[in-house]
Amino acid sequence: MADQDGSRRAVAVLHSDHDRAAYEALTRRHKLKIVYTVHTDAPAVLAALIAVQHALEHLAGAVIIPHLRTLEPDTPWQAITAAADLITGTEVYPLWSALTSPPRREQ
C-alpha cells in the first residue's frame, strides 16, 4: 500500500544491536514510510508473528528486517509474506512468495 507521496507503508523489526546505517539505506532504497517499529530480540517464530500482526494492524505493504539475509526454506520468517512483502538486508520476498517464487536479489 502506497501513501500519497509514493512511499510504501512498512513495519520495521529491529534487533537491539541493529545497524542504523543499513536500516536507513534500506528504507530510502525501497521508499518506505515506517509506520511502526518493533524492537525485539525474540526468537524468529515469535518475532515473525509480531511482524505479521503489526503489518495487518497498520495496513503496511512491507516488513523490513535489515539483519536478515537470504532465508532458508521453511523458515518462520516466510510467514510474513502472507501479509506483506518482506525486505531483508539482501533480498525482497514479495507478498505470497513463500508459496510461488524465489526472492528478488537486491542490486
Side-chain angles (χ1 to χ4, degrees), residues 3-14:
D3 281 348
Q4 290 179 342
D5 63 0
S7 63
R8 290 178 40 192
R9 296 171 60 83
V11 169
V13 178
L14 305 175

Side-chain angles (χ1 to χ4, degrees), residues 88-105:
T88 70
T90 58
E91 309 281 347
V92 176
Y93 297 87
L95 183 66
W96 295 110
S97 64
L99 303 175
T100 60
S101 65
R104 294 188 311 254
R105 286 243 176 239

Side-chain angles (χ1 to χ4, degrees), residues 33-83:
K33 176 182 178 182
I34 304 300
V35 294
Y36 194 82
T37 302
V38 178
H39 294 273
T40 184
D41 292 323
V45 172
L46 179 57
L49 291 173
I50 292 168
V52 168
Q53 178 67 34
H54 286 293
L56 294 171
E57 282 183 20
H58 297 280
L59 302 175
V63 172
I64 180 174
I65 308 176
H67 68 273
L68 294 181
R69 301 291 179 226
T70 302
L71 301 180
E72 298 295 322
D74 299 323
T75 180
W77 297 111
Q78 293 284 359
I80 293 170
T81 65

